[in-house]
Structure formats: C-alpha cells, structure tokens
Amino acid sequence: MKVFNKKGFAALAAAALLAAACGGSTTEGKTLTIGISLPLSGSSLASAGPARDGALLAIKETTIEGYTLATKILDHAVDGVHNPAQAATDVTTLVGDETVVAVVGPFNSSSAKAQIPVSSEAGLAQCSPSNTNPDLTKGDAGAALRGGRPVNYVRVAATDDLQGPAVAVYAKSRGKSNVFIVDSTDTYGKGIADSFAAEFTAGGGTVLGREGAPAGTTDFTAIVTAAKALSPDAFFYGGVTADGAGLFRKAIEQAGLGDVEFYGGDGIQDGSGEGSYIAIAGAAAAKSFSSVAAIENIPDKAGFAAKYEAEYGEAPGAYSASGYACAQVILEAIKTAVAAGEVTRESVRAALTDTATVYSTVLGDVSFDENGDTSQKIISLYEVVDGNWTFVEQIDYANK
Amino acid sequence: MSTLTARFAPLRARSNAYFAQHRSLGVLVAVITIGVALPLISRIPPFGDLQSMNAWVNAFTIAGIYALLAVGLNVVIGFAGLLDLGYAAFFALGGYTYAIVASPFFDIHLPFWPMLIVGALIGAMFGIFLGAPTLRLRGDYLAIVTLGFGEIVPIVLLNADPFTGGTNGLGGVDKPVIPGILEFTLINPWPFYVLMMVMIALVMTVVFRLQDSRIGRAWDAVREDELAAESSGVNTVISKLQAFAVGAAIAGFVGVFNAAKLTIVAPDQFKFVVSISAVAAVVLGGMGNPVGVAVGAFVIYLVQSIFLKQLNTLVDNFNIPVLQEIDFLEFQYVLYGIVLVLMMLKRPQGIFPAKRRIRIFKDTVGGAK
Amino acid sequence: MATATGTVRTERVRGQFFLPAVITGFLALMLGLLGFEQFLNAMTLGAIYALIALGYTMVYGIIELINFAHGDVFMVATFVSIAVSTTLLGQTGAVLDIPTLIISLIVLFTVTIVVMALVGALIERLAYRPLRNAPKLAPLITAIGVSFILQNIIQFFVGPYITNVPQLFSTQWAFTIGESRVPLLNLFVIGSALFLMVVLQLFISRTKTGRAMRTTAMDRDASSLMGVDINRTIMITFLIGSGLAGAAGVIHGLYYGNTTFTLGFQSGLKAFTAAVLGGIGNTAGAALGGFLIAFVEVGAAAFGFGRWGGAIVFSLLVVFLIFRPTGLLGSSTGDRA
C-alpha cells in the first residue's frame, strides 16, 4: 500500500490536471492504426495466431506515403477461449481510439455477432479472415445486426450455407446415405451442421441421429455407442478441433468403427501440426474429409509460404493467407481514401465496401457484394491421406 | 501512506462522523467525486498511454457492472454469510428479460427504464424461487446448489432456441433512450458512464440503508451465529431469503444494463467464470464492506481486461529490449493467479475489511440520541 | 468421513445390508436400461469421476475447503503421465508385450501418483496452510488462484492444444459377450480404480494415520489435544487426495488418449458435484456420487439428450439436495455451518 508517498501523490494529481487540460490536442492525424481483434491466448491461439501473423506481415510490407502505419492488437480470449463479451469490449476500445481506421477480425462468428453492432455504429471498417456464419451479413439477420446502417464489415471466407452443403454433396457423391451428426452447440458448429443436414436429407439421405457435445466434452464414448447401434455409414461433426473433433474421431475408432468415414467443415481442417485434428486423432484420422471455405490453390502458394516462413520461421497456418488478405484489402481501401484526399473512418469504410472494387489479394481477385460477402465462393474439399490433408477438389459456387 | 493518513486523521474523523449520520448523502458525494475523478485519472501517462479517454470511460462503465455485481453478491455472502457460486445466473436472467422484450428477435421494443425495475423483480423472483426450497441447506451445500443453478441456467438458455436465440443469443438489443433528449449510442461512452454512476449511487444507497435496517441487523445475526439468531426471535429462513432476493435483484438490475450496453446477450457470457470472479471480487475486496467489494471488483476487472491484455504495450513503453521480446499475453493468467494468491495471503480479510466494530459503536450512538 | 465408522449403532446395521442392496438394484436397473456397452462406458467414466471426487471430499472433510485447484491437479497429472510414459519409459503407443506392459503400468502409476501427491502437498503448504485461521472464504480464493497458475504453467510449457497421451494399454484388445464388445481397457480402468478405493478405505479405517484423519475431520481442536499433529494430518490428506487425482490422470490418459490444459475445470466441477451428491466429507459417498453422475451423463447421451447432460446432472443435484440435504451418505448430524 505504500506505493505512493505524499510527493508522488501530489505529482500524480498535478499530472492528472495537466493531462486533462491538454487532452485531445496531441492527436496529429499522421498515424493510421489498424486494429487486430482476435482470440490470442489459450486454445484459440493455435488457429487465430496464424491469421494475426498473416495480417501483420501484410501491414509490415506496406508503406503509405505521408502516414505512419501502426497496429493495435487486442486479445479477446478469456480463460483461453474466445469470449463475445470481451470481443465487444475490445471493439469499443478500438472505436474509442481515434487513430484506428479499420479492424482485422474477429475470428469466431459468435464474436462477430457482438462486434458488428458496435463497429457499424462507429462506421469502422472490419474484415474477418474466417467468419463463416451466414447470418452475420445476409438478409434480415445481417441488416438487424448492423442496425440498418451501411455495410462496414466484409469477410474473405465463404459462408456456411455453402460450406455445409458442399460437404453434404461430396459425402453423397461417395455413396453415403446414412449419417450421424454431432455438433459443438455453438454458433459455428450448430450452423454448419444444420446446413449440412438440410442438404444431405434434401437429396434422399437420412440423418440417423443428431447429438450435441459442448466444447470441453472429453467423453464421446456414450454418443459413439448410441450411434453404433444405428449403423451409420458416415459421421459428420460440426465444430472446431478445439471443441473435440479429434477426440470424437478417436472414440469412434476405439469403438471399432474406424472404417466409417468422418466428415467435417473447415473447423477440423487445421493442418497436421500440434493440436490439429490430425495430430489428435492420430491413426484414426484416416478416412476423414473436410472442407475449407476458401480457395486452396492460391495464385502464389509457394511464394507466400516462403516469405511467411522467412518472417516467422514456420509454415503458414490455415488462416494465414486469409489474415494477410484481410490486411491487404484494408490497406488498399486506405490507399484509395488517401488518393481521394482525406483518410477518415468513413472514407476507408466506403472504399472498402465499394462493390465495384476488385482487390488483387493473396487469395486471388476478390470483390465484396452488397452484404460484404466475398465474391470468391469457392469451397475446397480435403481428404486425409498419409496423415496430411490432401486437396481433393474445389466447388465454385460463384455462378450457382 | 501512513504519514498521509496521520495528517488527515482529524479531518477524516470529522467527515466520517458526518457521513455516518448522512449515509445516502455520503454515497452521493462519493459517487460524484469518483465519477469525475476517474476520467481525469485516465489521462495520466501510464493509463493514458494504454488507450484513449473514451476507451477508458467505456472500460470504467463495464468495470462498474462488475462492481455492482460484487455489491449485490456481497449482500448474500458478506451480509448474510451464504456462499453463492451461481450468481451469474441472476445476471443472465435480468439480461435476457430485457433482451427478449427489446430486440428484433420478437420485434418487441419496450422502453429501457421500466425494464430496469422488471429485471430486478425477475431476478428477485428467481432468487426466492431457488432460495425457498434450498435455504434450509447448511453452509456449502447451499453453495453447490447455487453452483448447480448457475450451470443449469446457461444450458437452458442455450437449448431453448425459440425464446433465447440459442447459441447465437439475442442481438441488436435496444439501447436506452431518454425521449426527446438523448439517445444512447455505442460510440459515445459518456451517457452509459453517467447512467452507471447513477446506478451505483442508487444501489449503494439501498444497500447501506438495508444494512442499517432491521433486516440488515438480522443478517448480521444470522451470519455470526444462526442458532443464537434463531433463538433470539430472528426468522432465519425469511432473513436468508431476503438476502438472496436482494442479491438476485441487484444482479437482474445490472443484467438489464449489461444487455443494453453490449447490445447482445448469449449463454457464453454467463458461465461459471463470471460467478467465480464475482466471489473473488467480494472476498478480495473485503467481505461485508460494500465499498470494498465494489473497489475490489473494479480493480480486478481493470487488471484482467485492460492491464493484462495490454501488458505488451505497457512494457514496450519502458524500452527495455529484453522485455519487449516476451509475449506477456501468454503469462496473463499466471500473473492473475499469482496476484490472487499473494493478495489473499497478505490480506486474508480482504483489502478493505468490513469495519464491524465502528458500525456497532455508531449504532449505539445513534440509539442514544 | 465421519460416518465411515458410524456413530449410531442402528444406522450401522441398516447400512450394512441396505446400501449394498440399493447399489446392486441400481446397477441392475442401469444395465437393463442402457445395455451392456453403455453400462461399461458409464462405469469407466464413473471410476475417473470417483477418484477425483475422493480428493475433494477428503480435503473438504478435514479443512472445509472447496479445493477448486483439485481438478487442475488432475489435469497436471495427465501431463505428468505423458512425461513418464515417453521420457522415462520411452513408450509412445500400445505396449503389446505383457511383462513389459505390467512393469510400465506399475512405474507409470507409481511415479505419477508420487509426483502429484508432492505437488498437492506443496500447494497445501504454500497456499492453504498460511490461511488456516483466516476467514473461511480466503483459501477458496487462493484455490482459484492456484487453479489459474496450474493451467497456465501447463499452457506455457506444453501449449494450448489438445495433446496426445500414449495409450500403453492397447485399446484394441477386446472380447465379445453376445452382441456387446468389451474392451479390456475398460475393465482395467474400473478394476484399478476400485482397487485404489478399497485401499483408501482400508487405510482410513485401519491405520493410525487414518484414524487421525477421521478425528481431525470430526473435531480439529479435540484431536489436537489428544496429540494428533494437525498440520501433518492435513498434509497427508492432501498427499493422498492429490495422489488419487494422479491416478485418475493416468487412467484418463490411458482411456481417452489425450488431454488439454483446460481439462481440469469440467472434470473438477463434475467430481465436486459427485462429492456433494455423495455427502461431502464421506469417501464412500464420493465414490458412489461419481458413478451416479457418470450414469446420468451416459444415460442422457445414450437417449439423445447429450445437449442437456449438464443441466440434468445439476438439476438432479439440486432436487436431490432439497430432499436429502446432506447427500447420499452424509451424516445428518454433520453440521458444519
């Protein structure tokens, strides 16, 4: 308690008055800050960290004449898990910082639900590398979320209303007709499982059973035993690896059903590094299939991987290129705003969401529609071969 | 600090004596002073460097939410001596009460102000609903029942999709409006801040008045010795139920504010962590002392959500190359844990322990008058 | 723990016949309801919950502390077991040679249990003993603090990922009874857990230290006057409780083959609930509570209500405590308020 002696206290009080007196006049307008709002601790770090690094790399490579580019990174993981309330707080923090002109993030759809009302009210441009829930942008739900205001949020990932069906179509093309579905009960997991189920049954398939296993579930044995009695010819898991995808697959194998094929969305396609689906499921990962709501064959795959590795000493993660692309489109929008004269939040937002602009990104040419969704509606499908996700095919929904 | 305390001792004694007689006025003066001082403090270098004044004001508002939660929980734990490990449930119920009738989900848009009261009533109702059958349980059995309740509520909210929006929660919750005068926005943190200060003043006044009332004395009695209280004619069940209801009402009340402030309620926001953080704030702040627990919660929130999250920025300011290499975000919870343990070891009574002796003395003086 | 010896003679006689009959009846009912495979799943899960619950209940019985860090001690044990398997034993997968397997398992259990017992005792010494005479809730907060510290030490050194644990005992060994597949691993898990529980009961009821633990739980001051070294007794309680969590950690690793730094929270919460359901302070009750919760959870998942599993467990707890306020085997005189 003896931190402040009397003199220190007086100095502090004087400083407070002084600071209050000259507050507000110190902003020079030369610094442009790009906020990065992602879950960056605990189990979220494994997937969101690479997205942050991708974005930082793009920002580092860019200079804008007459301005200093800065970044402000806020971690909204609480107890190691992304937390929508903290995400909302963080975006308010960014809104409160006058130098912030755009934000990369968030990572999870539930966080986006908390952030978009705030950022749209502030007219602060946002680009998510990985949100896939359709309700964030489309239709009445999207309009309600941004309170009927102009679009300020764009994303470079395709949505789950394409991803889930793409996996369903693929599973059926492999002759599957009886599936057992488990989801992680959160925004992403339940959403993608719903869209998978709808498409799967639409074409004559049967959903034998549907079960929910919240993140943190470690015991899947009872679910697997219950499923086993129904003799499914495929399993679908809606959720991310950290929710328990690998554990589920392992339990399936342990129950002697290792030959039954396993399908999932981009939540389980997280490479083969530490903590990935493949690493957790081990040998059981064979006969697993997944999708990614993005293009697999990015134009300069080797080049991007090389410079990413040179910077960070490790291979890009699943969302590194998406993070990089998000920063790219934001930087491009800032440049447009600079060229037009004044860099304000509004000018950056307007430039970013201009549906006519075609951005040349690491993912390829991308533009955003009237809802802020990417024109690149490519779903890539993968299969585990020899302990690695191997690209199978990609379905382009752009013209469908 | 000690010389300073000594210097101002006579002044403090006089002001203490005055405000002891006029507690509501004291609360008002204190809240106004703090309300004005906080934004100024946010301009001082170590604080000002972290984020802008608006961001600080916003952070203070949210810290105020946790402070009020702690004050409410303190009624249950500190006053009545009942351990409640599921306090977040009442917070959630208040929030959902407002969100259901003020969001695009059902397209109902009831005004904010009366809903503050409704939220409090709903909270109290559930407090009684949970408390009535369980309050005869002793000590930690009650704690585990409340813990169970705290676990059940988010699961029910998660699975009752048609009413609660399931995992997505209810978004686009209406912000408060003072018709014709002021519309609250998310951009301008000041209206919310001022409202929070008003709420703090209100809750503090109620809590202090309750503490001094017959009900409050019954709580003291029940807490110190239930058997003795009962044999002295205190209806312990009613007394405990009152504490439960008051605590839950405060949580519901703050829950409404929280929903309007965040514009979203979702099951994830009300997990066990929230309950346990509130308990930590109460114990750390000093059980039984409403001001202490409020400050405890305030500090815990700021440490957890601002300082730890921005440790990197903070350390970068010192320009020590070795430290800049370290990602402090990775250590945030270790530091938080160490802080909790050390604080408790240093001050097991809490930072601002309740001054029961002074209170008792004051009561006799009041009685003699 | 107080009732283990029983104070009222009639209750003791009733308990001798009544309890086993109820348990047998319950198990038969569950077997019929769930089928053999789900029954085995529940028994296995229950064995793990029970081992963790024992640590909660023993510590609560003796110092009335809800040791929130106990779940994390269990979590740390899973990581210690990885280190023992890979580094000390050099095994990364199933050991098919039977003698090697037996030796490996003995080493794995022994080393992990000893390490965790020491960790538990260390935590007690540093975070709880200084607060022995502090307000009741103070150690609760340090327990939460310790929980944070343990989680993050693991997160820092191992990473925030789900990590694989070598499954030394092959998951593929199984035989079939009728339609049902019976993995040997499940039987091994249930067997070793029951063995440890029996050893614990014998220790508590037959040894001098066990008696000291029981008397300290009943009345600390009186035991102190009778020459019981209170600090030593409490320390031993922590050693045993954490050791059992260590065993649970090994078993969890062998059975599920993975772990993560957040594992302790959920498991700890469930195990704590089990301890309360069983009548906190009562070791036999904690074990029963662990199995009961496992049956409820597995039952929920078996009938397609997995989403509601947690809500059902806790609703059961609330309702149960309303009608039997001291838990399954809690003593009606155990007034700890």
Side-chain angles (χ1 to χ4, degrees):
Chain A
M1 287 304 281
K2 286 180 184 163
V3 178
F4 301 125
N5 54 20
K6 201 165 60 179
K7 211 189 275 176
F9 191 80
L12 210 63
L17 289 175
L18 197 70
C22 60
S25 63
T26 48
T27 334
E28 278 288 300
K30 287 279 187 188
T31 302
L32 299 176
T33 306
I34 297 175
I36 296 180
S37 180
L38 296 167
L40 294 171
S41 47
S43 56
S44 307
L45 181 66
S47 42
R52 168 198 60 190
D53 294 342
L56 287 176
L57 184 58
I59 295 166
K60 193 182 172 193
E61 287 171 349
T62 311
T63 49
I64 295 176
E65 198 67 32
Y67 294 92
T68 315
L69 282 178
T71 51
K72 185 165 187 166
I73 304 172
L74 295 180
D75 162 30
H76 58 249
V78 173
D79 295 334
V81 181
H82 68 94
N83 180 301
Q86 182 68 38
T89 310
D90 285 356
V91 79
T92 318
T93 305
L94 292 170
V95 164
D97 182 341
E98 291 81 358
T99 66
V100 173
V101 290
V103 177
V104 175
F107 196 80
N108 310 79
S109 295
S110 49
S111 298
K113 286 219 157 146
Q115 287 194 333
I116 293 173
V118 184
S119 61
S120 71
E121 200 172 307
L124 179 61
Q126 236 186 318
C127 175
S128 165
S130 57
N131 291 161
T132 50
N133 188 287
D135 291 345
L136 299 179
T137 51
K138 294 183 207 284
D140 292 344
L145 203 58
R146 54 179 176 263
R149 287 174 289 264
V151 174
N152 71 303
Y153 163 95
V154 300
R155 52 175 151 192
V156 296
T159 45
D160 288 341
D161 52 349
L162 305 175
Q163 201 183 171
V167 179
V169 167
Y170 183 61
K172 280 194 288 191
S173 78
R174 293 184 55 85
K176 307 299 163 199
S177 56
N178 294 303
V179 67
F180 190 91
I181 301 176
V182 173
D183 70 68
S184 66
T185 75
D186 76 352
T187 307
Y188 166 76
K190 200 156 172 284
I192 193 168
D194 285 344
S195 66
F196 172 88
E199 176 69 30
F200 196 81
T201 47
T206 311
V207 174
L208 296 174
R210 173 90 185 256
E211 188 54 281
T217 303
T218 47
D219 185 273
F220 283 89
T221 54
I223 293 176
V224 171
T225 304
K228 193 173 152 191
L230 304 167
S231 326
D233 55 15
F235 285 95
F236 180 85
Y237 182 78
V240 303
T241 301
D243 294 337
L247 312 185
F248 182 33
R249 183 60 183 161
K250 212 168 184 172
I252 291 172
E253 193 229 26
Q254 215 157 309
L257 298 178
D259 284 338
V260 181
E261 291 184 355
F262 188 90
Y263 293 83
D266 59 342
I268 70 169
Q269 213 288 25
D270 45 10
S272 57
E274 262 185 302
S276 66
Y277 170 76
I278 289 179
I280 294 164
K287 296 187 196 298
S288 296
F289 302 84
S290 73
S291 62
V292 164
I295 180 171
E296 158 64 23
N297 294 317
I298 63 172
D300 183 19
K301 200 173 179 177
F304 178 71
K307 73 178 171 189
Y308 187 93
E309 248 184 285
E311 179 75 22
Y312 299 111
E314 57 187 29
Y319 295 99
S320 296
S322 304
Y324 188 90
C326 258
Q328 276 185 310
V329 297
I330 284 173
L331 290 164
E332 207 52 47
I334 294 175
K335 283 180 190 160
T336 311
V338 170
E342 203 191 352
V343 185
T344 62
R345 281 182 183 166
E346 177 51 25
S347 66
V348 173
R349 184 205 65 77
L352 179 69
T353 56
D354 186 349
T355 52
T357 314
V358 177
Y359 296 96
S360 170
T361 73
V362 67
L363 303 174
D365 286 348
V366 167
S367 65
F368 299 107
D369 68 11
E370 70 282 3
N371 294 323
D373 286 329
T374 175
S375 62
Q376 201 178 49
K377 299 184 191 307
I378 295 174
I379 306 290
S380 308
L381 293 158
Y382 300 81
E383 177 182 1
V384 174
V385 177
D386 297 332
N388 274 305
W389 286 111
T390 312
F391 176 63
V392 183
E393 61 173 303
Q394 58 190 35
I395 306 176
D396 192 343
Y397 282 90
N399 304 311
K400 286 187 184 175
Chain B
M1 200 73 183
S2 52
T3 51
L4 198 69
T5 320
R7 175 79 64 87
F8 287 111
L11 190 68
R12 262 186 62 186
R14 238 182 308 156
S15 69
N16 277 353
Y18 182 78
F19 284 123
Q21 300 297 320
H22 306 271
R23 245 174 156 171
S24 311
L25 188 68
V27 167
L28 202 65
V29 171
V31 169
I32 291 175
T33 314
I34 292 168
V36 172
L38 279 178
L40 293 180
I41 288 174
S42 73
R43 302 303 293 169
I44 303 173
F47 302 102
D49 289 345
L50 286 180
Q51 49 187 10
S52 69
M53 177 133 117
N54 273 2
W56 271 112
V57 168
N58 184 55
F60 290 143
T61 311
I62 294 167
I65 293 174
Y66 290 97
L68 279 185
L69 280 182
V71 172
L73 185 58
N74 179 54
V75 172
V76 184
I77 297 184
F79 289 177
L82 308 166
L83 181 55
D84 184 344
L85 292 176
Y87 195 59
F90 303 111
F91 185 44
L93 289 167
Y96 270 86
T97 302
Y98 179 60
I100 284 172
V101 297
S103 73
F105 194 73
F106 288 113
D107 210 16
I108 309 173
H109 298 277
L110 298 186
F112 173 79
W113 309 103
M115 287 311 293
L116 270 177
I117 307 301
V118 176
L121 290 177
I122 296 271
M125 210 179 80
F126 274 92
I128 293 170
F129 166 76
L130 176 70
T134 56
L135 280 174
R136 69 193 179 97
L137 297 179
R138 290 200 175 254
D140 292 312
Y141 283 97
L142 179 70
I144 187 77
V145 166
T146 55
L147 188 152
F149 184 68
E151 289 295 298
I152 294 167
V153 166
I155 299 176
V156 171
L157 292 174
L158 179 70
N159 289 310
D161 306 37
F163 308 103
T164 61
T167 166
N168 297 339
L170 302 170
V173 177
D174 298 343
K175 294 175 283 293
V177 177
I178 304 174
I181 303 173
L182 180 66
E183 268 193 49
F184 285 53
T185 66
L186 297 171
I187 309 312
N188 181 359
W190 290 93
F192 275 112
Y193 178 71
V194 173
L195 172 59
M196 175 42 74
M197 288 300 155
V198 172
M199 285 172 64
I200 290 178
L202 201 70
V203 171
M204 281 294 192
T205 309
V206 169
V207 165
F208 276 128
R209 295 210 150 236
L210 277 174
Q211 196 182 9
D212 287 343
S213 72
R214 195 187 165 81
I215 296 174
R217 285 197 299 277
W219 288 337
D220 285 346
V222 170
R223 181 192 61 234
E224 295 305 334
D225 191 333
E226 198 175 335
L227 220 59
E230 195 150 17
S231 39
S232 322
V234 175
N235 187 334
T236 57
V237 173
I238 295 285
S239 181
K240 288 195 219 168
L241 213 50
Q242 282 165 335
F244 235 63
V246 170
I250 294 175
F253 182 69
V254 188
V256 173
F257 177 90
N258 183 58
K261 173 78 183 73
L262 286 181
T263 73
I264 181 169
V265 288
D268 287 355
Q269 299 166 0
F270 306 105
K271 293 214 162 142
F272 183 63
V273 187
V274 178
S275 299
I276 206 67
S277 304
V279 175
V282 169
V283 179
L284 212 59
M287 257 187 291
N289 177 0
V291 176
V293 300
V295 173
F298 208 83
V299 170
I300 286 184
Y301 173 79
L302 292 181
V303 166
Q304 217 186 350
S305 293
I306 311 292
F307 291 105
L308 290 178
K309 294 286 170 199
Q310 303 207 11
L311 266 180
N312 288 332
T313 323
L314 201 65
V315 172
D316 281 353
N317 287 341
F318 296 138
N319 283 318
I320 304 168
V322 187
L323 290 182
Q324 287 176 359
E325 294 295 309
I326 303 170
D327 185 1
F328 279 91
L329 276 184
E330 295 206 24
F331 295 108
Q332 54 180 330
Y333 293 109
V334 179
L335 292 175
Y336 181 55
I338 291 173
V339 167
L340 281 186
V341 173
L342 288 184
M343 294 261 263
M344 232 49 249
L345 291 183
K346 277 267 168 230
R347 294 188 74 102
Q349 313 282 341
I351 308 171
F352 308 100
K355 291 175 181 157
R356 303 212 196 281
R357 261 199 202 150
I358 293 172
R359 242 174 57 69
I360 290 161
F361 177 63
K362 190 220 78 183
D363 281 348
T364 44
V365 170
K369 228 163 70 173
Chain C
M1 222 171 291
T3 47
T5 45
T7 42
V8 183
R9 193 152 306 217
T10 50
E11 212 173 57
R12 196 172 174 185
V13 173
R14 188 172 141 245
Q16 267 176 354
F17 299 102
F18 184 67
L19 199 62
V22 169
I23 294 172
T24 317
F26 177 77
L27 290 181
L29 178 73
M30 284 297 134
L31 187 59
L33 208 60
L34 297 173
F36 190 74
E37 286 193 22
Q38 294 287 31
F39 179 80
L40 207 59
N41 289 338
M43 286 297 288
T44 318
L45 181 62
I48 297 174
Y49 283 160
L51 283 180
I52 311 173
L54 286 171
Y56 274 109
T57 221
M58 288 169 68
V59 166
Y60 188 88
I62 206 154
I63 56 171
E64 289 176 37
L65 163 69
I66 303 175
N67 183 6
F68 267 105
H70 188 64
D72 296 292
V73 170
F74 158 70
M75 176 274 295
V76 172
T78 60
F79 284 94
V80 171
S81 83
I82 298 179
V84 175
S85 295
T86 52
T87 315
L88 205 61
L89 298 168
Q91 305 288 0
T92 52
V95 180
L96 299 175
D97 176 44
I98 304 292
T100 319
L101 176 65
I102 292 172
I103 293 167
S104 300
L105 287 174
I106 291 172
V107 172
L108 177 60
F109 272 96
T110 315
V111 175
T112 311
I113 288 174
V114 169
V115 169
M116 292 325 296
L118 293 177
V119 169
L122 185 72
I123 293 171
E124 192 273 332
R125 181 70 193 81
L126 294 180
Y128 305 144
R129 188 183 295 180
L131 293 172
R132 189 83 17 103
N133 297 313
K136 207 178 148 197
L137 287 179
L140 183 76
I141 303 304
T142 54
I144 295 167
V146 170
S147 159
F148 273 113
I149 295 171
L150 291 180
Q151 283 188 28
N152 286 277
I153 287 175
I154 293 294
Q155 187 194 340
F156 183 72
F157 284 109
V158 186
Y161 325 106
I162 298 176
T163 309
N164 286 320
V165 183
Q167 293 178 288
L168 304 189
F169 196 108
S170 172
T171 57
Q172 302 303 324
W173 289 341
F175 59 92
T176 38
I177 302 175
E179 294 278 284
S180 309
R181 181 170 178 271
V182 184
L184 289 181
L185 176 57
N186 291 52
L187 300 183
F188 170 73
V189 167
I190 298 167
S192 44
L194 289 177
F195 169 75
L196 287 169
M197 287 176 220
V198 170
V199 170
L200 176 73
Q201 284 299 348
L202 290 177
F203 179 80
I204 290 176
S205 58
R206 300 284 162 83
T207 65
K208 202 175 167 192
T209 316
R211 194 159 61 229
M213 287 165 67
R214 280 183 285 135
T215 56
T216 309
M218 267 186 237
D219 190 329
R220 196 193 297 171
D221 295 334
S223 330
S224 177
L225 291 174
M226 301 308 281
V228 173
D229 183 343
I230 300 298
N231 277 338
R232 180 173 165 274
T233 309
I234 293 176
M235 176 76 76
I236 288 173
T237 307
F238 270 86
L239 279 170
I240 296 173
S242 308
L244 290 172
V250 173
I251 288 175
H252 177 98
L254 289 176
Y255 184 50
Y256 295 111
N258 57 68
T259 179
T260 182
F261 77 104
T262 51
L263 177 73
F265 178 71
Q266 275 295 329
S267 318
L269 206 58
K270 297 271 172 56
F272 176 51
T273 309
V276 176
L277 207 53
I280 196 150
N282 184 308
T283 47
L288 284 184
F291 284 107
L292 184 60
I293 284 184
F295 272 107
V296 172
E297 277 195 325
V298 168
F303 293 107
F305 294 105
R307 266 169 228 284
W308 293 92
I312 297 171
V313 166
F314 288 109
S315 304
L316 179 85
L317 176 82
V318 173
V319 173
F320 188 87
L321 285 186
I322 291 173
F323 291 106
R324 195 172 159 79
T326 48
L328 275 174
L329 302 183
S331 76
S332 47
T333 51
D335 182 352
R336 304 192 178 282

